[in-house]
Amino acid sequence: MKKTYKIEVDCANCANKMEEAARGTAGIASAVVNFMTQKMTVEFTEGSDPKKVMQDVLKACKKVEDDCEIYL
Amino acid sequence: MTNKQKKMLVRILISAAALVALYFIPISGLPRLVCYLAVYILIGYDILRKAWKGILNRQPFDENFLMALATIGAFSLAIWTKSGDYTEGIAVMLFYQVGELFQSYAVARSRRNITSLMDIRPDHANIEADGKLIEADPDEVAVGTVITVQPGERVPIDGILIEGNGNLDTAALTGESMPRSVSEGDDIISGCISLNGVLKIRTTKEFGESTVSRIMDLVENASSNKSRSENFISRFARVYTPAVCLSAAALAILLPIARLIAGLAPDWTAWLYRALTFLVVSCPCALVVSIPLGFFAALGGAGKEGILIKGSNYLEALANTDSVAFDKTGTLTQGVFEVTGIHHNQLEEEKILEYAALAECASSHPISKSLQKAHAKEIDRTRVCDIQEISGHGITAKVDGLPIAVGNGKLMQKLGIPYTDCHSIGTILHVAIDNAYAGHIVISDIIKPRAKEAIAALRENGVKRTIMLTGDRKAIADHVAAELGIDEVHSELLPADKVSEIEKLLKTNGKGGRLAFAGDGINDAPVLTRADIGIAMGAMGSDAAIEAADVVLMDDDPLQIAKAIRLSRKCLRIIKQNIIFSLAIKFACLALTAFGIANMWAAIFADVGVMVIAVLNAIRALKVPK
């Protein structure tokens, strides 16, 4: 399953870091952060709960880049 | 400017003013240190906070940490050496913030500009109820509802015009600036703007299925497919920052120790200063921001021209295109059949056309349609009777009591009527009236007016090979190819043959060169997917083709392919310039610092200056080169 979320991040490198953090989260098959359109597209692994997984993704992103937001 | 940016600007201005003022105020010792520290905290508190949080999260290697370390280091050195020169640390922080502000402003602005270029989403649909117009959410309008579009409004949903006429501005959809005039019964595509007439449209699709939604979807999801350069840069940024930090550590510790061993003065403070300068240069911002910005600008610029590219990876592929394969019908030709000649006629041309059109009046075949179009008069069906369609041959019928036969050579043979063969290219319709040969009508597909120019433009832009793949007969295919100057022709192909033909072409294609396939989408979807770059002609074509294609040309003009290639080459050139330029300056600066030639001022100018230039250069990608 694929979903796109609106995000807010100020710098391009931070966007890259968020992408990496999201990819490393359990339950995420792939993640792409688009800095220019301020969007995160994630693909969940089979059987995972998107709501729960996205909470973890947000936590992981906050850890690498304090000044970011994902609108769930 | 956002509030965040305004606040930053105020902080920058106050700090800069304070710095200048402090330069002229003769204070020394502790009060001096306190004053400077206050300015430092004012300009850099957010960086310091972020750096601290990074350390707490065990993610220390980011630019905030580096800037904090470098500036605190510079401050400490100034205190240690009692030089009292605190300006440097503050200035570095100040310029860094100026750079960040500029970057965020430039990015936000171009983001807004580019998305507004592409913003064709209508906000409401007008529905008439009790003689009043009510604004409804387009999402909630059912198929078959009559909506009203007033002058200046955007058509929200696809439909058929049932009342009114006027001109439509299709620029947002096709990039075509000439308005299109519409009258009752015409199909209206959502996303167009009504220029002068009040249009009543019966919707034929739901909002979500309408052209405008499909295109918005495409645009919004574009550029999430990352290119090789973008991936390279994010990988590079991951390595670069830690590498520079390690080198800085080596400069600060190993070199003085080496000097000690060699019996020289270790010069700790000088080397520490150089190491701190290293840290200032270590921010990869210029590269990291300018590359996605460049691609985004190019995608936006292409969209403005009516070329939708589904991701920056396809821009990269387009730039390397050296072979282009075309479908014939609908791509290079208009795909509408027209009567192009009437030969060997015994009667007036009008008369032959009339009889043929009457005989064919019951058929829905494109051939019949083109006959009706050429005849251009109302058909009186009562004049026709006894219509018989002989499959693979043609039609016989009685018109005004006379037996008429319209069909190919086989039909004439069957009826035992001698006929004259035709040397023209196209479909030949022989007509016999009252069992006597009356001549033949040539119907052929018309080559698009700009197709020849398009092939020439491709060649000018470095495309080495042009190929035509078609299901049509060899004679017709060869004729069209010769007319347009296409290198290779593969004719009489079934849809499946086209795929295997593309696979063969992919194999013979040179290394690095990409093969593009342009088709109008009717049964081309598998070929579009198989080619390196699939280009679908006409966004109003089939949904499957738009889904399968990587590039969608909003209008049917094949000349757009060359434009897309030019644009992508320009974009890639800019990206390359930015990568080389930023890296060269950074490495030069690192080298100069290591030898003690460049100081921290030079380092911060290199960092911010390169970023500003790279961002400005990236924005250039928005404009399509002529």
Side-chain angles (χ1 to χ4, degrees):
Chain A
M1 188 176 47
K2 237 180 180 171
K3 268 196 158 169
T4 304
Y5 297 92
K6 187 162 173 35
I7 59 166
E8 203 181 298
V9 59
D10 279 339
C11 77
N13 201 28
C14 316
N16 286 341
K17 278 191 241 163
M18 283 175 76
E19 184 175 286
E20 215 178 317
R23 279 184 188 154
T25 310
I28 297 284
S30 73
V32 177
V33 170
N34 188 335
F35 172 63
M36 287 312 297
T37 51
Q38 297 272 311
K39 269 183 190 145
M40 178 189 266
T41 310
V42 289
E43 204 178 335
F44 299 99
T45 51
E46 203 112 340
S48 59
D49 174 20
K51 271 201 184 133
K52 232 172 105 200
V53 172
M54 283 316 287
Q55 288 300 332
D56 294 343
V57 169
L58 182 60
K59 231 180 269 166
C61 287
K62 287 267 184 201
K63 200 167 172 182
V64 290
E65 172 56 32
D66 176 55
D67 204 7
C68 75
E69 195 51 70
I70 305 175
Y71 296 97
L72 298 173
Chain B
M1 262 195 202
T2 61
N3 276 337
K4 223 175 181 176
Q5 288 167 341
K6 275 187 198 140
K7 213 169 121 195
M8 196 64 232
L9 186 65
V10 171
R11 272 169 64 195
I12 288 172
L13 291 176
I14 295 177
S15 320
L19 211 54
V20 173
L22 281 175
Y23 182 79
F24 291 107
I25 297 171
I27 42 171
S28 58
L30 197 60
R32 182 180 166 88
L33 176 62
V34 170
C35 285
Y36 275 99
L37 256 183
V39 180
Y40 175 69
I41 303 242
L42 170 69
I43 189 72
Y45 71 85
D46 54 332
I47 304 280
L48 294 175
R49 202 188 59 213
K50 277 188 200 166
W52 178 244
K53 278 199 176 156
I55 296 168
L56 288 185
N57 283 328
R58 293 197 205 108
Q59 295 274 348
F61 280 122
D62 66 359
E63 54 274 20
N64 297 313
F65 173 74
L66 298 174
M67 290 315 293
L69 191 62
T71 49
I72 292 174
F75 244 94
S76 315
L77 267 183
I79 298 168
W80 176 256
T81 57
K82 298 199 176 62
S83 69
D85 179 16
Y86 307 120
T87 325
E88 202 162 36
I90 299 174
V92 165
M93 195 57 104
L94 186 67
F95 282 116
Y96 177 75
Q97 295 282 33
V98 169
E100 291 290 293
L101 179 65
F102 168 79
Q103 173 198 316
S104 94
Y105 180 68
V107 167
R109 230 191 109 129
S110 47
R111 180 183 293 138
R112 215 171 38 240
N113 285 349
I114 294 163
T115 33
S116 76
L117 276 181
M118 304 295 298
D119 190 15
I120 53 172
R121 191 185 289 287
D123 36 330
H124 64 265
N126 299 321
I127 300 176
E128 203 176 292
D130 306 327
K132 268 192 274 177
L133 281 185
I134 295 170
E135 286 187 7
D137 185 344
D139 246 336
E140 289 164 5
V141 176
V143 175
T145 312
V146 176
I147 54 170
T148 306
V149 178
Q150 317 220 43
E153 280 186 340
R154 204 180 281 283
V155 179
I157 304 167
D158 292 0
I160 294 174
L161 186 58
I162 54 166
E163 203 185 311
N165 54 51
N167 289 308
L168 288 181
D169 174 6
T170 62
L173 290 176
T174 61
E176 173 65 61
S177 53
M178 274 285 286
R180 180 185 297 176
S181 78
V182 288
S183 52
E184 275 169 38
D186 284 351
D187 280 330
I188 307 284
I189 296 153
S190 54
C192 303
I193 297 171
S194 168
L195 290 176
N196 39 25
V198 175
L199 308 176
K200 291 209 167 158
I201 296 168
R202 174 172 296 126
T203 62
T204 51
K205 281 181 183 165
E206 276 175 38
F207 178 62
E209 297 293 309
S210 285
T211 309
V212 72
S213 303
R214 289 210 326 261
I215 290 166
M216 286 307 294
D217 213 40
L218 237 169
V219 171
E220 279 172 7
N221 291 320
S223 82
S224 287
N225 293 316
K226 290 196 178 174
S227 59
R228 285 213 325 273
S229 336
E230 279 169 289
N231 288 330
F232 163 74
I233 286 305
S234 47
R235 272 205 314 276
F236 174 82
R238 263 195 300 253
V239 182
Y240 174 77
T241 310
V244 173
C245 290
L246 284 180
S247 330
L251 272 189
I253 300 163
L254 293 184
L255 269 166
I257 291 175
R259 283 174 69 95
L260 264 182
I261 293 167
L264 296 162
D267 234 351
W268 288 100
T269 49
W271 286 104
L272 186 59
Y273 178 80
R274 289 180 195 182
L276 293 174
T277 311
F278 245 58
L279 296 182
V280 176
V281 194
S282 69
C283 175
C285 301
L287 282 170
V288 175
V289 74
S290 74
I291 283 149
L293 181 62
F295 279 119
F296 189 65
L299 293 177
K304 203 177 95 192
E305 298 284 329
I307 304 164
L308 297 184
I309 302 171
K310 286 195 186 169
S312 36
N313 51 339
Y314 301 117
L315 271 174
E316 216 161 37
L318 263 177
N320 292 322
T321 304
D322 69 351
S323 321
V324 181
F326 293 91
D327 167 50
K328 182 179 77 71
T329 314
T331 306
L332 295 172
T333 65
Q334 290 178 339
V336 257
F337 293 87
E338 271 187 37
V339 172
T340 51
I342 299 170
H343 305 149
H344 301 287
N345 42 324
Q346 317 295 324
L347 291 162
E348 286 168 55
E349 293 191 354
E350 293 283 313
K351 211 68 192 161
I352 294 200
L353 260 182
E354 187 182 348
Y355 279 124
L358 281 164
E360 293 256 2
C361 70
S363 164
S364 61
H365 196 269
I367 300 264
S368 157
K369 282 192 187 141
S370 53
L371 282 175
Q372 319 290 354
K373 205 172 132 203
H375 176 51
K377 274 180 212 148
E378 207 64 47
I379 297 276
D380 180 7
R381 284 179 186 241
T382 54
R383 291 168 62 191
V384 197
C385 60
D386 286 352
I387 299 175
Q388 271 192 323
E389 191 160 347
I390 306 165
S391 155
H393 292 77
I395 281 177
T396 60
K398 276 206 170 119
V399 177
D400 302 338
L402 284 176
I404 306 285
V406 183
N408 54 16
K410 280 190 223 157
L411 181 74
M412 295 296 124
Q413 280 169 8
K414 201 175 163 190
L415 296 172
I417 299 166
Y419 63 96
T420 324
D421 239 332
C422 188
H423 302 293
S424 303
I425 302 296
T427 308
I428 314 294
L429 279 184
H430 296 283
V431 183
I433 301 171
D434 201 7
N435 289 322
Y437 189 59
H440 56 236
I441 301 171
V442 184
I443 292 176
S444 51
D445 197 357
I446 311 248
I447 293 174
K448 283 189 186 168
R450 302 224 269 179
K452 192 170 177 166
E453 208 182 320
I455 303 289
L458 283 176
R459 198 152 288 139
E460 251 168 58
N461 285 292
V463 171
K464 293 193 201 94
R465 201 150 78 132
T466 50
I467 307 123
M468 188 164 92
L469 304 176
T470 176
D472 215 337
R473 294 201 334 261
K474 189 168 186 313
I476 300 177
D478 287 348
H479 173 75
V480 172
E483 185 102 327
L484 297 177
I486 287 180
D487 304 326
E488 280 174 51
V489 190
H490 301 272
S491 50
E492 296 175 28
L493 301 171
L494 298 172
D497 296 339
K498 285 196 188 171
V499 178
S500 54
E501 225 26 83
I502 280 284
E503 265 163 13
K504 261 188 249 163
L505 288 171
L506 282 170
K507 259 182 219 146
T508 56
N509 221 22
K511 248 194 192 162
R514 300 280 161 184
L515 174 72
F517 174 79
D520 70 338
I522 300 164
N523 66 44
D524 277 341
V527 197
L528 287 171
T529 324
R530 194 63 197 84
D532 290 325
I533 312 139
I535 304 172
M537 307 284 291
M540 293 77 197
S542 82
D543 293 3
I546 291 166
E547 192 78 11
D550 309 315
V551 177
V552 179
L553 306 180
M554 303 293 288
D555 55 358
D556 287 344
D557 190 353
L559 200 54
Q560 294 277 60
I561 301 172
K563 202 189 254 178
I565 291 178
R566 261 201 322 273
L567 178 82
S568 57
R569 294 231 167 107
K570 180 179 174 191
C571 169
L572 266 285
R573 209 160 51 231
I574 289 173
I575 301 287
K576 205 184 252 171
Q577 285 164 3
N578 276 348
I579 292 180
I580 292 174
F581 172 73
S582 319
L583 285 185
I585 299 278
K586 290 236 156 168
F587 282 122
C589 200
L590 287 178
L592 291 177
T593 307
F595 289 110
I597 302 168
N599 60 10
M600 216 174 257
W601 288 89
I604 191 69
F605 275 118
D607 193 46
V608 175
V610 164
M611 201 257 294
V612 170
I613 294 170
V615 164
L616 292 177
N617 195 27
I619 292 173
R620 259 185 348 115
L622 185 62
K623 224 172 154 233
V624 181
K626 280 281 165 292

